[in-house]
Amino acid sequence: MTASITRPGGDPAVTVRRATARDARRLTRLVRGSRAYEGPYAAMVASYRVGPDYIEAHRVFVAADDADDRVLGFYSLLLAPPELDLMFVANDAQGLGIGRLLVAHMRGEARAAGLAEVRVVAHPPAEGFYRSVGAVRTGTVPARPPAVAWDRPELVFPVLPAV
């Protein structure tokens, strides 16, 4: 499954593709440099690593600029149990529709895998975004110090229509 955003002239600008081991360093830099994790959240991503082994073991997809293959964002979908494990958009690409593109792609992948829903335990500042693209809040995941020092919203993306 591919997805893209097009420029006004109709040329593709961004394409979502499967991540490769070559993307690992770029994904790690994107996570560690995320402005969403500044201040009290910084410790959570300071040593985070998206390695080639993670990319090989999971369904990781990147949104890349068609002109230069620059990674603008990425997500990781776990199938069992169904969960959006990671989702990041580059600081300078926020507000351009990259996050919406990634969520639409993730839902398509989940649908193709036969999933009815996908859980996401969100970074607190990201809850509003997830809700704006169709996720429904289902609860709160308590803090687990020292790894995570704050409570996090738990949401679900409905994928398959109810029968």
Side-chain angles (χ1 to χ4, degrees):
M1 166 178 286
T2 61
S4 64
I5 296 175
T6 56
R7 291 186 171 99
D11 296 328
V14 178
T15 300
V16 178
R17 62 169 172 76
R18 190 77 184 245
T20 67
R22 290 178 331 188
D23 294 314
R25 285 190 178 129
R26 295 190 288 178
L27 301 187
T28 296
R29 279 194 303 270
L30 199 153
V31 170
R32 290 181 183 176
S34 175
R35 282 196 305 259
Y37 284 86
E38 291 178 330
Y41 302 116
M44 184 165 180
V45 297
S47 61
Y48 200 90
R49 180 178 171 270
V50 181
D53 52 336
Y54 181 88
I55 291 170
E56 185 176 314
H58 300 293
R59 291 175 179 240
V60 181
F61 293 87
V62 299
D65 186 301
D66 290 343
D68 59 8
D69 198 40
R70 183 171 71 99
V71 173
L72 303 173
F74 77 99
Y75 76 89
S76 175
L77 175 63
L78 307 181
L79 298 181
E83 184 169 354
L84 178 62
D85 187 38
L86 298 170
M87 183 171 169
F88 284 84
V89 174
N91 295 326
D92 62 348
Q94 292 184 12
L96 302 177
I98 304 301
R100 289 182 183 281
L101 176 68
L102 289 169
V103 167
H105 189 274
M106 180 274 301
R107 288 176 108 163
E109 287 291 316
R111 190 173 298 108
L115 304 177
E117 62 185 26
V118 175
R119 174 183 185 244
V120 59
V121 177
H123 178 51
E127 179 181 5
F129 167 74
Y130 286 126
R131 291 177 70 168
S132 77
V133 292
V136 177
R137 181 148 185 180
T138 57
T140 301
V141 175
R144 291 178 322 172
V148 181
W150 55 89
D151 293 346
R152 294 167 294 156
E154 178 180 42
L155 304 101
V156 169
F157 281 103
V159 176
L160 294 177
V163 179

